[in-house]
Amino acid sequence: MTAKQIHIALARLGDPDIAAHSGRFFKTGKGEYGEGDRYLGIRVPVLRRKGKEFKNTPLPEIMRVLNSSFHEERLLALFMLVHKFAKGGANEKKEIYELYLRHTKYINNWDLVDSSAGHIVGAYLADKDKKPIYRMAESINLWELRIAIMSTFPMIRANDFTATLAVSRLLLKDDEDLIHKAVGWMLKEIGKRDLPVEERFLKKHYKDMPRTMLRYAIEKLHEKDRKRYLLNLA
């Protein structure tokens, strides 16, 4: 498939009502985080199926799709990249990882990040130096910050919490609600696997954590423990 053929195929699937709803849901209004993004109106399960259908699309064509002004085309491109990364050899994985980091300006909403960062950046760096993640955690770009924390999810699943905790510390003072939610989510995931590790982090930092971040992080704790943190009694 070519990028042009993919665009034509997706255009036929678009629904104006779904597109309008997506525009509101993903905050595309003036001054909002998704300002100016465009939608075709295609549900995510349909895009996932198309990602499998178009999985043999050459990498240069996928990158052209990723450069699209339409949100669903960029998401489809990321699904295809994730598939290629999972099936690729060492050289192809490296190429996809590097392309991903060079094109972060197109990975510009939370669903795009969450569908891809862990599967590509996190998977590639799992057994490597985590400096690229730490550098992104100091970016001025909202989506690179989210990529940084979400890239640590595969490491959490492998019971390696070092990168997540380091990035969480770097993002404690961030102003963006979408970062607060992501950091809190990853801390909660640590707690599911090793509660004492999460508790040590919380006891040291909970007074400095934005309220949303804290609420997400303590969501699975016992009610009495949640209250202690929320009431500054921990």
Side-chain angles (χ1 to χ4, degrees):
M1 295 287 284
T2 66
K4 184 175 181 180
Q5 289 171 323
I6 289 172
H7 174 73
I8 292 169
L10 292 191
R12 291 171 179 156
L13 297 172
D15 181 312
D17 291 335
I18 295 175
H21 176 269
S22 295
R24 293 189 297 271
F25 182 76
F26 287 106
K27 308 296 185 185
T28 59
K30 187 171 178 59
E32 295 181 311
Y33 61 74
E35 181 178 353
D37 206 355
R38 302 167 69 197
Y39 288 81
L40 293 165
I42 306 171
R43 302 289 191 193
V44 172
V46 176
L47 293 171
R48 288 190 185 278
R49 289 197 295 271
K50 288 297 176 184
K52 291 181 180 179
E53 181 181 336
F54 302 153
K55 64 184 180 182
N56 293 323
T57 300
L59 192 52
E61 294 297 323
I62 295 177
M63 300 314 295
R64 291 187 182 96
V65 178
L66 183 61
N67 291 3
S68 172
S69 63
F70 287 103
H71 187 102
E72 292 95 336
E73 291 189 8
R74 299 198 302 279
L75 183 56
L76 174 64
L78 292 167
F79 286 150
M80 290 191 286
L81 284 178
V82 167
H83 181 85
K84 275 197 179 295
F85 183 94
K87 301 296 183 182
N91 290 338
E92 188 170 24
K93 288 180 188 294
K94 183 175 186 291
E95 182 180 12
I96 292 169
Y97 161 78
E98 291 175 348
L99 283 169
Y100 187 95
L101 292 188
R102 288 204 300 269
H103 289 79
T104 54
K105 68 178 180 179
Y106 299 106
I107 307 166
N108 58 351
N109 215 312
W110 59 264
D111 63 322
L112 304 178
V113 172
D114 297 0
S115 297
S116 60
H119 297 292
I120 294 175
V121 179
Y124 184 75
L125 294 177
D127 59 351
K128 299 177 180 65
D129 194 319
K130 307 303 186 294
K131 285 181 182 176
I133 291 177
Y134 303 148
R135 282 197 296 269
M136 273 193 293
E138 296 179 325
S139 173
I140 61 171
N141 181 286
L142 165 63
W143 306 116
E144 290 189 350
L145 297 178
R146 186 144 177 142
I147 289 170
I149 187 63
M150 294 307 299
S151 292
T152 70
F153 205 168
M155 301 160 201
I156 294 173
R157 291 190 178 111
N159 292 315
D160 179 358
F161 311 129
T162 305
T164 307
L165 296 173
V167 173
S168 296
R169 284 190 290 271
L170 289 170
L171 297 178
L172 278 176
K173 302 294 187 180
D174 193 81
D175 295 330
E176 292 288 346
D177 189 63
L178 285 169
I179 300 304
H180 303 167
K181 290 176 180 178
V183 172
W185 175 14
M186 292 301 101
L187 291 172
K188 177 175 64 179
E189 292 296 332
I190 290 176
K192 288 179 183 179
R193 294 158 176 83
D194 194 328
L195 186 56
V197 170
E198 183 192 12
E199 290 258 51
R200 282 196 296 273
F201 184 92
L202 289 174
K203 286 177 181 176
K204 185 173 183 179
H205 298 292
Y206 79 98
K207 291 182 180 179
D208 300 319
M209 292 170 72
R211 202 67 166 177
T212 298
M213 185 187 294
L214 179 60
R215 285 187 178 278
Y216 270 63
I218 65 177
E219 188 177 40
K220 295 296 183 181
L221 301 186
H222 292 301
E223 184 178 0
K224 64 179 180 63
D225 294 324
R226 291 200 306 273
K227 286 182 177 178
R228 281 193 300 109
Y229 285 113
L230 292 172
L231 296 173
N232 266 351
L233 299 174

